[in-house]
Every structure is written in C-alpha cells, then in structure tokens.
Amino acid sequence: RRGQIMSSALTDQQATSADPDAWLPVCNLDRLWLDRGAAALVNQEQVAIFRLSGGEVCAVGHRDPFTGANVIARGLVGSRAGTPIVISPLHKQAFDLRTGVCLDDPEVGLGHWDVKVEDEVVWLRRSAA
C-alpha cells in the first residue's frame, strides 16, 4: 500500500489502513523536491508533504482552514525565527510545518502527521498531538 501523491511526479496509489494509528508508506524520498510541497491522500485525508533542504520531511493538512481549498502543498516554503513554515498561496497565512499551527492565528491549524523515512521510503501516520 503506497500513498497517492497528487503530483504527476509521484505515485498514483493510495495509502489506507483500517488502523488510524498505523504507519503508511506514501512515496520514495527521491520523488519529493527540495523545499516544495506534494499532496498525498492518506486514509482519505489530503496531506501536504514537504522535503526541506536541511533533510527534514514534514507533513501537514493540505486543506487551508481559512478558505477550505486544498492548496497548502502549493505554498511557499521558508522559515520564521528558525521555524520551518509554509505560506498559504491564497491569503498568505504562515503555518508551522512541524505542528501545523498557524503562526498568524494560533487558534487555527492544519493538523500534522508524524513522518519517518526508512530505506528511502517516506512513512506517515496521523499525529495524536
């Protein structure tokens, strides 16, 4: 079971499991571009995955909570005070890539996924935090 990445550069399959706490393989690491997002469908949720130039891989919700549009993977990647962020392409809110929290409105968030990379494969599971 592999993840469905909604970018033509990646896989076309879907990551699903009956266990919501299960780790799911989503894609090969080399299919993610540095400092760019890719969207994946994981257990019927759209997820934005980012491979940062420092080597870290982060995953947050793809749905912009301010507009309802699934666009976060298309946002600009950067940092604010040392925190890796993505800027929503619609209204320009900044979201922490490690927690999904909106830095401009901490009451709002994207949700985030735990990420591990094993044997060059990116694995995700929904974070409990």
Side-chain angles (χ1 to χ4, degrees):
R1 296 186 299 238
R2 299 183 75 68
Q4 178 181 353
I5 300 290
M6 295 176 213
S7 165
S8 61
L10 303 172
T11 178
D12 292 323
Q13 296 180 22
Q14 185 177 160
T16 59
S17 171
D19 179 3
D21 297 324
W23 285 96
L24 296 169
V26 177
C27 67
N28 290 329
L29 182 63
D30 66 357
R31 306 294 298 262
L32 297 174
W33 296 349
L34 290 177
D35 294 325
R36 292 275 208 45
L41 191 59
V42 180
N43 275 345
Q44 304 305 313
E45 289 187 74
Q46 290 194 30
V47 179
I49 306 169
F50 297 87
R51 180 180 179 193
L52 306 179
S53 57
E56 185 175 7
V57 179
C58 299
V60 295
H62 186 43
R63 184 180 174 274
D64 182 326
F66 294 97
T67 66
N70 290 303
V71 296
I72 296 300
R74 303 296 169 238
L76 297 173
V77 174
S79 67
R80 186 183 286 177
T83 299
I85 62 168
V86 60
I87 304 291
S88 172
L90 297 178
H91 294 295
K92 313 303 182 220
Q93 289 90 355
F95 295 91
D96 184 327
L97 282 173
R98 293 181 179 143
T99 66
V101 172
C102 180
L103 300 180
D104 302 313
D105 184 351
E107 299 284 320
V108 178
L110 299 169
H112 71 285
W113 279 254
D114 297 325
V115 178
K116 68 180 178 180
V117 178
E118 291 181 348
D119 297 323
E120 299 297 307
V121 175
V122 177
W123 294 72
L124 300 181
R125 76 172 174 195
R126 187 72 152 110
S127 178

